[in-house]
Amino acid sequence: MGASSDQNLNNPGQILTLSLSLSPPASLSPPASLSPPASLSVSPDRSQFFEFESVSLSCEVQGNSTGWRMMRNAERGNLSECSTDWGKHQGSSCIVSLTPSSSGVYWCESGSGEHSNAVNITVHVGAVILEIPALPVTEGDSVTLRCRYQVTPSDLTAVFYKDGSLIRAESSGEITIPALSKSDEGLYKCSSSKGESPESWMTVTAEGSTPSSSLPPLSSSLCLSLGWWLLSPSL
């Protein structure tokens, strides 16, 4: 995602050209490393939640865990740590009671600037979400994606999409990918008679690979919000 202008923005009447992609700005991504010193775990392991649900986030640190903290970069670019204006420490975990403002990017960070892998979490106020892993899944494994409802309808039929293209409809409201490959990586969503879920990215990694500290692509809605933040003159 990036912004460019052919003119000086301080001059009135000139045009700003904004281009958005599904990749985050470099400033929002923890620095990449081949072997992060910590990994972020998410329970339940989902990218999407309804408002008022809870999620537990914890840092699994190699060696001394002193000084590590849970960080969030929310949709409007508000960078903060657990137990400031969100989340509550419970042992080594951060428990987050979710509201729409909880949507954003989460990761672990040390006092010296080291980072874990990062995950996107989306809190949806609509009637439908997609149950999809927040953490990377492994090639060869099986994964089930499920359309989930605030109020369970009599007809569970859901239609599933990947990267904007139709996969298929399922009367059970869920779809199973039996043996994952790298080609299954992408943006997924579902829709039904009750509405449509947000899109979320599913990362597929090779067996035995180490979680990356780079950030997966953001959903289009999160990109637009972050684009607003980057261009806001008040920030």
Side-chain angles (χ1 to χ4, degrees), residues 168-188:
R168 64 178 181 270
E170 287 287 351
S171 60
S172 63
E174 61 183 47
I175 185 172
T176 297
I177 305 172
L180 289 163
S181 66
K182 192 65 176 177
S183 63
D184 293 312
E185 186 170 271
L187 278 169
Y188 288 82

Side-chain angles (χ1 to χ4, degrees), residues 148-176:
R148 184 169 171 229
Y149 307 92
Q150 284 272 29
V151 179
T152 304
S154 55
D155 180 10
L156 296 175
T157 300
V159 182
F160 294 85
Y161 300 85
K162 176 180 179 286
D163 299 330
S165 298
L166 172 68
I167 302 174
R168 64 178 181 270
E170 287 287 351
S171 60
S172 63
E174 61 183 47
I175 185 172
T176 297

Side-chain angles (χ1 to χ4, degrees), residues 4-206:
S4 62
S5 174
D6 295 330
Q7 306 289 339
N8 188 322
L9 297 182
N10 294 322
N11 293 333
Q14 294 182 334
I15 297 173
L16 169 69
T17 301
L18 171 67
S19 61
L20 295 179
S21 70
L22 292 177
S23 296
S27 59
L28 297 181
S29 303
S33 65
L34 294 177
S35 180
S39 61
L40 171 63
S41 64
V42 183
S43 181
D45 181 10
R46 303 197 332 247
S47 284
Q48 297 184 20
F49 294 84
F50 288 120
E51 187 177 15
F52 305 126
E53 290 190 301
S54 294
V55 63
S56 174
L57 306 169
S58 60
C59 300
E60 299 175 359
V61 180
Q62 301 174 19
N64 187 1
S65 62
T66 303
W68 284 85
R69 55 187 180 168
M70 185 68 60
M71 302 296 297
R72 180 182 80 183
N73 201 328
E75 285 192 351
R76 292 292 174 89
N78 299 318
L79 181 64
S80 57
E81 64 180 284
C82 181
S83 289
T84 50
D85 58 346
W86 61 273
K88 181 180 180 181
H89 284 297
Q90 190 175 93
S92 61
S93 300
C94 178
I95 310 300
V96 187
S97 297
L98 297 165
T99 66
S101 64
S102 304
S103 294
V105 182
Y106 293 77
W107 69 92
C108 306
E109 183 176 309
S110 73
S112 60
E114 295 175 298
H115 296 78
S116 71
N117 57 306
V119 298
N120 295 323
I121 289 179
T122 300
V123 182
H124 190 44
V125 296
V128 181
I129 61 173
L130 176 65
E131 290 192 351
I132 183 171
L135 297 172
V137 290
T138 305
E139 283 184 306
D141 284 354
S142 172
V143 68
T144 296
L145 308 181
R146 182 177 295 107
C147 228
R148 184 169 171 229
Y149 307 92
Q150 284 272 29
V151 179
T152 304
S154 55
D155 180 10
L156 296 175
T157 300
V159 182
F160 294 85
Y161 300 85
K162 176 180 179 286
D163 299 330
S165 298
L166 172 68
I167 302 174
R168 64 178 181 270
E170 287 287 351
S171 60
S172 63
E174 61 183 47
I175 185 172
T176 297
I177 305 172
L180 289 163
S181 66
K182 192 65 176 177
S183 63
D184 293 312
E185 186 170 271
L187 278 169
Y188 288 82
K189 68 177 181 178
C190 69
S191 64
S192 73
S193 60
K194 294 295 183 180
E196 184 175 277
S197 76
E199 287 184 314
S200 283
W201 182 269
M202 184 172 73
T203 299
V204 180
T205 60

